[in-house]
Amino acid sequence: MEPSASLTLFNSLTRRTEPFQPVHAGEARVYTCGPTVYNYPHIGNMRAYVFADVLGRALSFKGYRLTHVINITDVGHLTDDADDGEDKMERMAAAQKQSIWDIAEHYKQAYWADVRALNIRQPAQWTVATDYVPQMIAFAEGIAEKHCYELDSGLYFDVSTVADYGRLARAHTDDGEGRIEAVEGKRNAADFAIWRKTPAGETRQMEWDSPWGKGAPGWHLECSVMSGAVLGFPFDIHTGGIDHREIHHPNEIAQNQAHCCTNGLDDAANSGARIWMHNNFLVERSGKMSKSSGEFLRLQLLIDKGYHPLAYRLLCLQAHYRSELEFSWEGLGAALTRLKRLVMVVEQLKARIPPRHGEGDHPQGGGGAPSENPEAETQRLAEPAPPPPAVVPLPVPGRNFAPYLERFDAAVSDDLNTAIALTVLEEVAAIKKVDPAEKLAALDAMDAVLGLNLLNLTRADLRLRPKSAEITEAEIEATLAARKEARAAKDFARSDALRDELAARGVEVMDGDPLGWEWKLG
């Protein structure tokens, strides 16, 4: 079935849902604000990339040729988004007593590991800020005369020189949004640094010569330069977390207006992108989401506690991207159970379909796992590598599934309503007495958008051993086998003793579990 519903997306700039109309026919060009690689990403950070991945998958599902760019910020991001405080990279390098380049590489690799674990597809290109410094200097030179002024601390952008500054944040109409404290020397409180000079008598690990002296680019400048260089102005969609809507993205827009010599923002394309999209926060009531809290919630912590990372992806899909999502361990456990049910259905379907060829391989399913080397992966998402030979033939879903696929398409097309799309997928999973290959094909078509990798996951994949566990899976299975023998021999005393032995080592035996998973580690 070809997707037929018109794709509509919420534009943060206009504050309304709009039909997606690409700048270039048949193409979709998307830029996502990536991480500043000074620390590990927390799971709230990763929600933004799950959202951006679903957007990209949805655009591919709708038939657009996708070019998705995600940046890596390895210079220029201060501890305060309003150009205040220390450079995050320099501060971490000093704290760790390492070079800033080593810090950037370590945390970049950690971020990419989380990208792979969450089955986030590789973008067409990763743009790394330090690779674009010459272009940033050229960009700044091009707008400096009309839009900037120089202070002892650097080159600043005068926001009064562009029309409608702050419209994205609603700085002038929404109470409290976009407030920036006045800084001595600025013409306007909201003016921001284009280039930050290295203070006299200091040497930074990352600094470059410029017409304004040695220093480093401002954080906001980076994204304007990289998005325009790779995608061209205007491009289709710019994404980021809702926190970017207040300062970072309004400043990007001002730079884009200055560079393109465009007018006000009644025409959204003058902002540099036709649509600006923002995911809402992930909230956790203990306060451990912030990196400043020390032991914050990383994806690896979830894995160490025995939760598969795709359970977290499913948790994100359960809420609309523009809604706040509350994290709890109970909610994550429920999402894992929901994922287990889907994996069980897929395994049962595959078992009912005769092998075709390529024994031992699996259907690609849901877009497949990302490359192990993201930096080297430059393949366009619209042209993925061919899947390996499949164990099962996957026909085009038949007419039995057409109404479900239409409803799924409608949900995805309605501003990426993944919560409804997920329930439609589960309805398909529950259908009985249909051709298993067609049903599997329908699930695979839907999972291509949701990205749960259902056709590749196994029960063994989802049963992760918590880092704190002192018993191996082999020991658990051996004890369970002995217990089954005892029960078959009606030696219930031994059966109970073996169950108690497992319980004492943190293993819960789930007799009668409707999912049939037999045991789990506490």
Side-chain angles (χ1 to χ4, degrees):
M1 185 205 87
E2 290 294 326
S4 58
S6 175
L7 177 63
T8 60
L9 301 170
F10 185 82
N11 189 347
S12 296
L13 185 60
T14 62
R15 292 297 203 271
R16 63 174 179 261
T17 302
E18 303 172 357
F20 175 67
Q21 297 176 327
V23 175
H24 302 88
E27 290 188 47
R29 301 184 183 186
V30 181
Y31 183 86
T32 293
C33 275
T36 301
V37 286
Y38 73 102
N39 206 335
Y40 297 107
H42 59 59
I43 58 174
N45 299 141
M46 296 310 297
R47 185 189 186 193
Y49 306 112
V50 171
F51 149 63
D53 181 55
V54 171
L55 171 64
R57 288 170 177 270
L59 289 164
S60 294
F61 177 74
K62 301 297 288 184
Y64 294 102
R65 187 167 68 254
L66 177 67
T67 303
H68 191 178
V69 174
I70 304 177
N71 78 289
I72 300 290
T73 293
D74 57 352
V75 65
H77 192 170
L78 301 186
T79 53
D80 187 297
D81 292 353
D83 293 318
D84 192 18
E86 302 171 84
D87 184 296
K88 292 181 177 182
M89 299 295 300
E90 294 273 358
R91 186 174 71 169
M92 181 57 78
Q96 298 283 350
K97 294 182 172 56
Q98 290 182 285
S99 85
I100 200 168
W101 304 98
D102 290 339
I103 290 290
E105 183 63 23
H106 175 79
Y107 291 114
K108 180 176 68 176
Q109 294 298 333
Y111 165 70
W112 279 341
D114 285 357
V115 164
R116 290 191 295 271
L118 288 168
N119 198 34
I120 293 170
R121 297 196 304 182
Q122 292 301 305
Q125 188 171 337
W126 297 99
T127 56
V128 180
T130 48
D131 292 341
Y132 286 80
V133 173
Q135 293 97 313
M136 293 178 203
I137 293 172
F139 186 108
E141 286 182 296
I143 66 174
E145 182 177 352
K146 291 184 178 180
H147 299 278
C148 302
Y149 58 94
E150 194 171 351
L151 297 176
D152 289 343
S153 55
L155 184 70
Y156 284 81
F157 189 97
D158 183 341
V159 299
S160 68
T161 63
V162 294
D164 301 325
Y165 176 76
R167 178 178 287 195
L168 179 69
R170 293 297 194 264
H172 302 297
T173 57
D174 289 353
D175 183 32
E177 286 193 357
R179 292 180 298 174
I180 303 174
E181 296 298 325
V183 175
E184 185 177 355
K186 288 185 180 182
R187 295 176 182 173
N188 309 284
D191 291 352
F192 57 90
I194 293 286
W195 186 265
R196 294 180 297 104
K197 298 179 186 178
T198 301
E202 293 185 16
T203 301
R204 303 170 61 87
Q205 290 194 52
M206 285 186 174
E207 59 181 9
W208 294 262
D209 289 319
S210 82
W212 315 282
K214 272 193 186 298
W219 175 43
H220 315 297
L221 180 63
E222 298 174 12
C223 286
S224 285
V225 170
M226 291 186 285
S227 61
V230 180
L231 300 176
F233 291 128
F235 54 91
D236 295 298
I237 304 171
H238 195 309
T239 79
I242 197 171
D243 50 320
H244 292 336
R245 194 185 67 185
E246 310 312 316
I247 298 175
H248 179 45
H249 286 171
N251 291 352
E252 266 193 74
I253 288 171
Q255 293 167 159
N256 296 347
Q257 288 176 274
H259 177 73
C260 299
C261 301
T262 54
N263 298 312
L265 297 178
D266 288 340
D267 181 353
N270 290 345
S271 70
R274 279 193 173 172
I275 297 177
W276 293 76
M277 298 181 69
H278 298 89
N279 64 282
N280 213 324
F281 292 113
L282 182 76
V283 295
E284 202 272 337
R285 299 201 183 279
S286 74
K288 292 183 179 178
M289 201 64 65
S290 170
K291 294 177 183 179
S292 62
S293 67
E295 178 65 23
F296 58 89
L297 287 172
R298 289 179 54 202
L299 191 66
Q300 187 59 50
L301 179 63
L302 274 54
I303 295 168
D304 289 346
K305 288 182 176 291
Y307 296 92
H308 195 280
L310 290 180
Y312 175 67
R313 183 181 178 107
L314 192 147
L315 182 70
C316 292
L317 297 176
Q318 291 176 169
H320 193 274
Y321 75 90
R322 287 195 287 118
S323 300
E324 276 194 352
L325 173 62
E326 182 171 351
F327 175 83
S328 69
W329 294 106
E330 295 79 9
L332 183 62
L336 179 59
T337 297
R338 199 173 182 183
L339 183 60
K340 286 178 177 179
R341 291 182 185 276
L342 291 169
V343 168
M344 278 182 55
V345 169
V346 169
E347 285 194 336
Q348 291 166 358
L349 288 171
K350 289 197 290 190
R352 291 171 55 197
I353 303 171
R356 183 176 61 183
H357 56 78
E359 290 288 351
D361 293 326
H362 294 288
Q364 187 72 4
S371 163
E372 288 297 313
N373 185 359
E375 197 162 28
E377 177 60 76
T378 58
Q379 192 170 40
R380 296 174 69 92
L381 293 182
E383 302 166 354
V391 170
V392 294
L394 292 182
V396 175
R399 62 173 178 238
N400 288 328
F401 299 99
Y404 295 95
L405 287 166
E406 288 172 4
R407 287 172 52 212
F408 181 87
D409 178 32
V412 169
S413 300
D414 182 16
D415 193 29
L416 311 181
N417 197 328
T418 54
I420 291 178
L422 188 57
T423 62
V424 176
L425 178 138
E426 289 177 318
E427 287 179 34
V428 170
I431 297 173
K432 308 294 183 185
K433 298 181 180 178
V434 292
D435 180 88
E438 287 191 8
K439 179 174 173 178
L440 197 62
L443 293 173
D444 188 43
M446 295 178 182
D447 194 36
V449 177
L450 299 177
L452 294 170
N453 206 20
L454 294 176
L455 270 70
N456 290 321
L457 280 179
T458 66
R459 288 163 58 106
D461 293 332
L462 294 183
R463 194 155 56 193
L464 296 183
R465 179 173 174 267
K467 189 175 181 180
S468 60
E470 297 179 355
I471 186 171
T472 68
E473 187 164 333
E475 291 174 308
I476 295 170
E477 295 292 355
T479 306
L480 286 175
R483 184 168 180 262
K484 284 180 181 178
E485 290 178 4
R487 294 181 74 178
K490 301 193 180 206
D491 187 351
F492 298 114
R494 175 165 171 72
S495 171
D496 290 345
L498 290 169
R499 183 187 60 201
D500 293 343
E501 177 187 320
L502 288 170
R505 302 185 69 183
V507 181
E508 179 186 350
V509 179
M510 300 187 291
D511 291 333
D513 171 32
L515 291 180
W517 285 67
E518 298 179 348
W519 60 270
K520 67 178 180 181
L521 278 161

